[in-house]
Amino acid sequence: MSEKILVIGANGQIGTELVNALRDKYGAEEVIASDINSPIYAIRHSGPFEFVNVLDKDNLHHIFTKHQPTQVYLLAAILSAVGEQKPKMAWDLNMTGLIQILDYAVEFGVKKVFWPSSIAVFGPHSPQENTPQYCVMDPNTVYGFSKLAGERWCEYYYEKHGLDVRSLRYPGLIGWRANPGGGTTDYAVHIFHEALKKGSYQSFLSANTALPMMYMDDAIRATITLMDTPAEQITIRSSYNLAGISFTPAQLAEEIKKLIPNFEISYAEHDPRQAIADSWPKSIDDSYAQKDWGWKLEYDLKTMTEDMLKNLKNVILA
Ligand code: VAH
Protein backbone atom coordinates (compact mmCIF):
# COMPACT_ATOMS: atom_id res chain seq x y z
CA MET A 1 0.00 0.00 0.00
CA SER A 2 1.40 3.44 -0.87
CA GLU A 3 1.97 5.93 1.90
CA LYS A 4 0.17 9.26 2.34
CA ILE A 5 2.08 11.40 4.80
CA LEU A 6 0.76 14.52 6.54
CA VAL A 7 3.36 16.84 8.07
CA ILE A 8 1.82 19.43 10.41
CA GLY A 9 4.05 22.41 11.20
CA ALA A 10 5.95 22.11 7.93
CA ASN A 11 7.29 25.67 8.09
CA GLY A 12 9.23 25.04 11.29
CA GLN A 13 12.89 24.16 11.83
CA ILE A 14 12.27 20.39 11.75
CA GLY A 15 9.31 20.52 9.37
CA THR A 16 11.19 22.29 6.60
CA GLU A 17 13.86 19.60 6.55
CA LEU A 18 11.57 16.64 7.20
CA VAL A 19 9.20 17.52 4.34
CA ASN A 20 12.11 17.53 1.89
CA ALA A 21 13.53 14.26 3.25
CA LEU A 22 10.12 12.51 3.20
CA ARG A 23 9.41 13.76 -0.32
CA ASP A 24 12.76 12.35 -1.47
CA LYS A 25 11.87 9.02 0.17
CA TYR A 26 8.17 8.61 -0.71
CA GLY A 27 7.64 10.95 -3.65
CA ALA A 28 6.55 14.58 -3.53
CA GLU A 29 2.86 13.97 -4.14
CA GLU A 30 2.65 11.48 -1.22
CA VAL A 31 3.76 14.08 1.34
CA ILE A 32 1.29 16.83 2.25
CA ALA A 33 3.02 19.75 3.94
CA SER A 34 0.76 21.80 6.19
CA ASP A 35 1.04 24.80 8.43
CA ILE A 36 -1.08 27.59 9.88
CA ASN A 37 0.91 30.04 7.75
CA SER A 38 1.66 30.13 4.01
CA PRO A 39 4.40 27.70 2.93
CA ILE A 40 7.94 29.02 3.19
CA TYR A 41 10.04 29.02 0.03
CA ALA A 42 11.93 25.83 0.91
CA ILE A 43 8.75 23.73 0.59
CA ARG A 44 6.46 25.93 -1.52
CA HIS A 45 7.27 24.42 -4.90
CA SER A 46 8.11 20.84 -4.01
CA GLY A 47 4.69 19.29 -3.41
CA PRO A 48 1.11 19.63 -2.03
CA PHE A 49 0.36 22.08 0.79
CA GLU A 50 -2.67 22.58 3.05
CA PHE A 51 -3.46 25.24 5.66
CA VAL A 52 -3.88 23.46 9.01
CA ASN A 53 -4.57 24.83 12.47
CA VAL A 54 -4.15 22.04 15.03
CA LEU A 55 -6.56 23.86 17.34
CA ASP A 56 -9.34 23.87 14.71
CA LYS A 57 -11.09 20.48 14.95
CA ASP A 58 -13.22 20.98 11.84
CA ASN A 59 -10.21 22.02 9.76
CA LEU A 60 -8.28 18.97 10.97
CA HIS A 61 -11.23 16.62 10.37
CA HIS A 62 -11.57 17.95 6.82
CA ILE A 63 -7.84 17.40 6.11
CA PHE A 64 -7.86 13.85 7.56
CA THR A 65 -11.03 13.02 5.56
CA LYS A 66 -9.66 14.49 2.34
CA HIS A 67 -6.19 12.90 2.48
CA GLN A 68 -6.68 9.76 4.61
CA PRO A 69 -3.04 9.93 5.85
CA THR A 70 -1.18 6.69 6.63
CA GLN A 71 1.44 8.59 8.64
CA VAL A 72 1.20 11.89 10.54
CA TYR A 73 4.14 13.99 11.78
CA LEU A 74 2.92 16.58 14.30
CA LEU A 75 5.67 19.20 14.56
CA ALA A 76 3.62 22.30 15.43
CA ALA A 77 4.75 23.59 18.84
CA ILE A 78 5.74 26.67 20.80
CA LEU A 79 9.35 26.28 21.99
CA SER A 80 10.96 27.03 25.34
CA ALA A 81 11.76 30.75 25.20
CA VAL A 82 8.50 31.85 23.52
CA GLY A 83 6.62 29.42 25.76
CA GLU A 84 7.74 31.37 28.83
CA GLN A 85 6.40 34.58 27.28
CA LYS A 86 3.07 32.95 26.28
CA PRO A 87 2.58 30.07 28.78
CA LYS A 88 -1.16 29.41 28.28
CA MET A 89 -0.85 29.56 24.48
CA ALA A 90 2.13 27.18 24.60
CA TRP A 91 0.27 24.69 26.80
CA ASP A 92 -2.82 24.86 24.60
CA LEU A 93 -1.01 24.41 21.30
CA ASN A 94 1.45 21.77 22.54
CA MET A 95 -1.16 19.74 24.49
CA THR A 96 -4.60 20.25 22.93
CA GLY A 97 -3.05 20.00 19.48
CA LEU A 98 -1.38 16.69 20.31
CA ILE A 99 -4.46 15.09 21.90
CA GLN A 100 -6.61 16.11 18.93
CA ILE A 101 -4.17 14.54 16.48
CA LEU A 102 -3.94 11.34 18.57
CA ASP A 103 -7.75 11.10 18.56
CA TYR A 104 -8.04 11.58 14.78
CA ALA A 105 -5.14 9.18 14.18
CA VAL A 106 -7.15 6.48 16.00
CA GLU A 107 -10.43 7.46 14.29
CA PHE A 108 -8.93 7.48 10.78
CA GLY A 109 -6.74 4.40 11.24
CA VAL A 110 -3.43 6.20 10.79
CA LYS A 111 -0.64 3.56 10.74
CA LYS A 112 2.09 5.64 12.41
CA VAL A 113 2.35 8.98 14.20
CA PHE A 114 5.54 10.92 14.98
CA TRP A 115 5.68 13.57 17.69
CA PRO A 116 8.86 15.42 18.77
CA SER A 117 9.75 15.60 22.42
CA SER A 118 12.87 17.28 23.78
CA ILE A 119 15.64 17.08 26.36
CA ALA A 120 13.63 19.96 27.88
CA VAL A 121 11.57 17.26 29.67
CA PHE A 122 14.43 17.04 32.19
CA GLY A 123 14.74 19.57 34.97
CA PRO A 124 16.97 20.91 37.78
CA HIS A 125 16.89 17.65 39.75
CA SER A 126 17.51 15.36 36.77
CA PRO A 127 21.07 13.99 36.50
CA GLN A 128 23.07 16.61 34.57
CA GLU A 129 25.61 14.34 32.85
CA ASN A 130 24.70 11.36 30.65
CA THR A 131 21.07 11.84 31.65
CA PRO A 132 19.43 8.40 31.46
CA GLN A 133 16.16 7.44 29.76
CA TYR A 134 14.49 6.99 33.16
CA CYS A 135 15.19 9.41 36.04
CA VAL A 136 13.70 12.28 38.04
CA MET A 137 12.06 14.69 35.59
CA ASP A 138 10.99 18.07 37.01
CA PRO A 139 10.97 20.44 34.03
CA ASN A 140 10.26 24.04 35.05
CA THR A 141 9.36 25.48 31.65
CA VAL A 142 5.89 25.27 30.10
CA TYR A 143 7.52 23.85 26.98
CA GLY A 144 9.32 21.21 29.06
CA PHE A 145 6.34 20.00 31.06
CA SER A 146 4.06 20.14 28.02
CA LYS A 147 6.52 17.78 26.31
CA LEU A 148 6.67 15.56 29.41
CA ALA A 149 2.85 15.41 29.57
CA GLY A 150 2.75 14.80 25.82
CA GLU A 151 5.04 11.80 26.21
CA ARG A 152 2.60 10.37 28.76
CA TRP A 153 -0.29 10.89 26.28
CA CYS A 154 1.66 9.16 23.49
CA GLU A 155 2.39 6.11 25.64
CA TYR A 156 -1.28 6.10 26.82
CA TYR A 157 -2.63 6.05 23.23
CA TYR A 158 -0.23 3.21 22.40
CA GLU A 159 -1.29 1.18 25.42
CA LYS A 160 -5.05 1.93 25.33
CA HIS A 161 -5.70 2.27 21.58
CA GLY A 162 -2.79 0.40 19.97
CA LEU A 163 -1.77 3.59 18.15
CA ASP A 164 1.79 3.26 16.78
CA VAL A 165 3.02 6.67 17.95
CA ARG A 166 6.76 7.22 18.15
CA SER A 167 8.84 10.07 19.57
CA LEU A 168 12.37 11.42 20.05
CA ARG A 169 13.72 13.69 22.81
CA TYR A 170 15.64 15.93 20.43
CA PRO A 171 18.58 17.94 21.74
CA GLY A 172 18.95 21.49 20.45
CA LEU A 173 18.81 21.23 16.66
CA ILE A 174 21.10 23.09 14.29
CA GLY A 175 20.36 23.42 10.58
CA TRP A 176 20.89 25.90 7.75
CA ARG A 177 17.61 25.58 5.86
CA ALA A 178 15.44 27.34 8.48
CA ASN A 179 16.10 30.58 10.39
CA PRO A 180 16.67 30.58 14.17
CA GLY A 181 13.38 30.11 16.05
CA GLY A 182 11.98 30.70 19.52
CA GLY A 183 14.14 28.19 21.31
CA THR A 184 16.82 28.56 23.95
CA THR A 185 19.25 26.50 21.87
CA ASP A 186 18.72 28.67 18.79
CA TYR A 187 21.79 30.69 19.74
CA ALA A 188 23.67 27.85 18.05
CA VAL A 189 21.88 28.60 14.76
CA HIS A 190 21.94 32.41 15.00
CA ILE A 191 25.70 32.44 15.68
CA PHE A 192 26.39 31.04 12.22
CA HIS A 193 24.21 33.66 10.51
CA GLU A 194 25.94 36.47 12.44
CA ALA A 195 29.41 35.03 11.89
CA LEU A 196 28.88 35.19 8.12
CA LYS A 197 27.05 38.54 8.09
CA LYS A 198 28.89 40.50 10.80
CA GLY A 199 31.89 38.46 11.87
CA SER A 200 30.68 38.68 15.45
CA TYR A 201 27.91 37.41 17.72
CA GLN A 202 26.63 38.26 21.19
CA SER A 203 25.54 35.04 22.89
CA PHE A 204 22.57 35.18 25.25
CA LEU A 205 23.97 32.10 27.01
CA SER A 206 27.15 32.29 29.04
CA ALA A 207 30.43 30.97 27.64
CA ASN A 208 30.45 27.71 29.59
CA THR A 209 26.78 26.72 29.19
CA ALA A 210 27.09 23.14 27.92
CA LEU A 211 23.97 21.75 26.19
CA PRO A 212 23.20 18.65 24.11
CA MET A 213 22.90 19.63 20.44
CA MET A 214 22.50 17.81 17.14
CA TYR A 215 23.05 18.65 13.48
CA MET A 216 19.76 18.59 11.58
CA ASP A 217 20.97 15.94 9.11
CA ASP A 218 21.47 13.54 12.03
CA ALA A 219 18.10 14.50 13.54
CA ILE A 220 16.23 13.83 10.30
CA ARG A 221 18.06 10.52 9.79
CA ALA A 222 17.21 9.49 13.37
CA THR A 223 13.54 10.37 12.77
CA ILE A 224 13.24 8.37 9.57
CA THR A 225 15.23 5.44 11.02
CA LEU A 226 12.92 5.34 14.05
CA MET A 227 9.79 5.45 11.86
CA ASP A 228 11.14 2.68 9.59
CA THR A 229 11.95 0.38 12.54
CA PRO A 230 9.66 -2.68 12.92
CA ALA A 231 7.17 -2.00 15.73
CA GLU A 232 8.30 -5.04 17.71
CA GLN A 233 11.77 -3.48 18.12
CA ILE A 234 10.36 -0.28 19.71
CA THR A 235 10.53 -0.63 23.50
CA ILE A 236 10.05 3.06 24.41
CA ARG A 237 6.58 4.47 23.73
CA SER A 238 7.05 7.74 25.64
CA SER A 239 10.05 9.21 23.79
CA TYR A 240 13.62 8.07 23.09
CA ASN A 241 16.59 9.98 24.51
CA LEU A 242 18.83 11.27 21.72
CA ALA A 243 22.29 12.47 22.77
CA GLY A 244 23.87 14.42 19.92
CA ILE A 245 26.97 16.49 20.67
CA SER A 246 27.42 18.50 23.86
CA PHE A 247 29.26 21.80 23.63
CA THR A 248 29.33 25.34 25.02
CA PRO A 249 29.02 28.66 23.19
CA ALA A 250 32.78 29.17 23.76
CA GLN A 251 33.61 25.79 22.19
CA LEU A 252 31.33 26.51 19.22
CA ALA A 253 32.96 29.93 18.76
CA GLU A 254 36.43 28.32 18.74
CA GLU A 255 35.30 25.91 16.02
CA ILE A 256 33.89 28.77 13.94
CA LYS A 257 37.16 30.72 14.36
CA LYS A 258 39.05 27.86 12.66
CA LEU A 259 37.10 28.78 9.48
CA ILE A 260 36.46 32.50 10.13
CA PRO A 261 39.65 33.57 11.97
CA ASN A 262 38.45 37.09 12.79
CA PHE A 263 35.14 35.93 14.27
CA GLU A 264 34.50 37.40 17.73
CA ILE A 265 31.98 36.30 20.35
CA SER A 266 30.71 38.31 23.31
CA TYR A 267 28.24 37.43 26.04
CA ALA A 268 25.09 39.21 27.19
CA GLU A 269 24.20 38.90 30.87
CA HIS A 270 20.89 38.31 32.69
CA ASP A 271 19.07 36.89 29.68
CA PRO A 272 16.02 34.85 30.88
CA ARG A 273 17.04 32.03 28.59
CA GLN A 274 20.11 31.37 30.76
CA ALA A 275 17.90 30.01 33.57
CA ILE A 276 16.13 27.74 31.06
CA ALA A 277 19.44 26.38 29.78
CA ASP A 278 20.74 25.90 33.34
CA SER A 279 17.74 23.66 34.09
CA TRP A 280 18.60 21.25 31.26
CA PRO A 281 21.16 18.41 31.13
CA LYS A 282 24.67 18.93 29.81
CA SER A 283 24.77 15.52 28.11
CA ILE A 284 22.40 12.62 27.40
CA ASP A 285 22.59 8.80 27.44
CA ASP A 286 20.87 7.43 24.33
CA SER A 287 21.71 3.73 24.81
CA TYR A 288 18.06 2.67 24.27
CA ALA A 289 18.07 4.25 20.78
CA GLN A 290 21.38 2.52 20.01
CA LYS A 291 20.10 -0.86 21.24
CA ASP A 292 16.52 -0.79 19.83
CA TRP A 293 17.09 0.70 16.37
CA GLY A 294 20.86 0.91 15.88
CA TRP A 295 21.18 4.66 16.31
CA LYS A 296 24.64 6.09 15.54
CA LEU A 297 25.54 9.77 15.31
CA GLU A 298 27.46 10.94 12.21
CA TYR A 299 28.24 14.65 12.76
CA ASP A 300 30.55 15.98 15.47
CA LEU A 301 31.19 19.65 16.35
CA LYS A 302 33.90 20.02 13.68
CA THR A 303 32.01 18.46 10.76
CA MET A 304 28.75 20.17 11.75
CA THR A 305 30.46 23.59 11.79
CA GLU A 306 32.10 22.96 8.44
CA ASP A 307 28.82 21.85 6.83
CA MET A 308 26.79 24.68 8.35
CA LEU A 309 29.17 27.39 7.12
CA LYS A 310 29.58 25.78 3.69
CA ASN A 311 25.81 25.68 3.08
CA LEU A 312 24.80 28.86 4.90
CA LYS A 313 27.41 30.85 2.96
CA ASN A 314 25.57 29.98 -0.27
CA VAL A 315 22.27 31.15 1.26
CA ILE A 316 23.42 34.33 2.99
CA LEU A 317 26.16 35.55 0.70
CA ALA A 318 24.42 34.53 -2.55
C1 VAH B 1 14.28 24.90 22.48
N1 VAH B 1 15.11 24.05 20.37
O1 VAH B 1 15.33 25.51 22.60
C2 VAH B 1 14.24 23.72 21.51
C3 VAH B 1 14.76 22.43 22.13
C4 VAH B 1 16.28 21.32 23.77
C5 VAH B 1 15.62 22.60 23.34
O2 VAH B 1 13.72 21.55 22.41
O3 VAH B 1 13.28 25.23 23.07
Side-chain angles (χ1 to χ4, degrees):
M1 176 188 175
S2 72
E3 296 291 347
K4 184 64 76 180
I5 298 173
L6 174 62
V7 179
I8 301 173
N11 283 345
Q13 184 191 28
I14 301 170
T16 311
E17 313 251 1
L18 200 52
V19 163
N20 286 309
L22 291 169
R23 284 177 170 164
D24 288 347
K25 179 177 173 70
Y26 292 102
E29 291 310 305
E30 309 314 319
V31 181
I32 298 102
S34 70
D35 200 279
I36 195 166
N37 297 311
S38 299
I40 60 172
Y41 180 77
I43 57 171
R44 186 175 307 149
H45 303 295
S46 63
F49 178 87
E50 294 275 12
F51 284 99
V52 164
N53 173 357
V54 289
L55 298 179
D56 179 339
K57 287 179 69 171
D58 294 337
N59 162 243
L60 275 178
H61 194 272
H62 165 71
I63 295 298
F64 271 71
T65 303
K66 176 179 174 184
H67 293 288
Q68 299 293 316
T70 58
Q71 294 184 45
V72 177
Y73 291 70
L74 172 58
L75 308 175
I78 290 179
L79 300 183
S80 59
V82 173
E84 291 309 293
Q85 296 160 3
K86 303 172 180 174
K88 303 291 176 50
M89 182 189 288
W91 177 260
D92 198 22
L93 174 60
N94 296 359
M95 281 292 83
T96 308
L98 169 63
I99 297 166
Q100 191 56 67
I101 294 296
L102 294 173
D103 273 340
Y104 281 159
V106 171
E107 180 180 335
F108 284 85
V110 173
K111 284 194 310 189
K112 290 181 201 171
V113 175
F114 178 79
W115 180 74
S117 184
S118 162
I119 57 108
V121 296
F122 299 110
H125 294 91
S126 305
Q128 288 267 297
E129 300 283 355
N130 295 317
T131 307
Q133 180 73 38
Y134 297 105
C135 63
V136 169
M137 301 166 84
D138 58 339
N140 56 15
T141 63
V142 175
Y143 172 72
F145 56 73
S146 74
K147 287 298 183 181
L148 182 54
E151 292 184 4
R152 301 285 92 231
W153 277 110
C154 290
E155 189 175 86
Y156 186 83
Y157 269 70
Y158 173 74
E159 297 293 346
K160 303 293 183 189
H161 302 284
L163 180 64
D164 188 351
V165 46
R166 306 179 186 195
S167 178
L168 294 172
R169 289 173 182 162
Y170 289 122
L173 299 181
I174 299 167
W176 54 271
R177 291 182 181 86
N179 287 326
T184 301
T185 58
D186 285 312
Y187 90 87
V189 178
H190 200 199
I191 191 171
F192 286 100
H193 290 252
E194 296 292 280
L196 288 167
K197 287 177 190 168
K198 293 167 47 183
S200 64
Y201 176 68
Q202 184 180 62
S203 171
F204 54 76
L205 295 184
S206 63
N208 299 319
T209 305
L211 286 172
M213 299 282 193
M214 181 175 278
Y215 195 37
M216 186 60 78
D217 290 37
D218 272 329
I220 297 303
R221 186 168 51 83
T223 308
I224 291 175
T225 304
L226 172 66
M227 295 300 276
D228 282 349
T229 299
E232 58 273 14
Q233 288 176 226
I234 306 289
T235 66
I236 303 283
R237 288 294 178 171
S238 50
S239 188
Y240 278 91
N241 273 12
L242 212 45
I245 18 178
S246 291
F247 55 79
T248 66
Q251 290 167 326
L252 179 54
E254 282 311 305
E255 208 57 45
I256 291 172
K257 281 180 190 167
K258 292 176 185 172
L259 300 167
I260 305 176
N262 296 330
F263 173 68
E264 289 184 356
I265 188 168
S266 58
Y267 299 95
E269 294 183 354
H270 313 306
D271 188 293
R273 289 165 287 189
Q274 184 65 51
I276 295 175
D278 291 342
S279 73
W280 290 346
K282 298 181 188 319
S283 62
I284 299 288
D285 173 327
D286 62 9
S287 47
Y288 277 85
Q290 295 174 41
K291 175 173 64 68
D292 288 1
W293 40 277
W295 171 242
K296 190 174 180 320
L297 195 70
E298 284 185 6
Y299 284 86
D300 61 16
L301 179 56
K302 177 178 183 298
T303 51
M304 177 196 72
T305 302
E306 289 166 352
D307 203 69
M308 269 295 279
L309 288 174
K310 180 184 70 167
N311 286 289
L312 206 49
K313 196 179 296 179
N314 298 335
V315 173
I316 289 182
L317 304 182

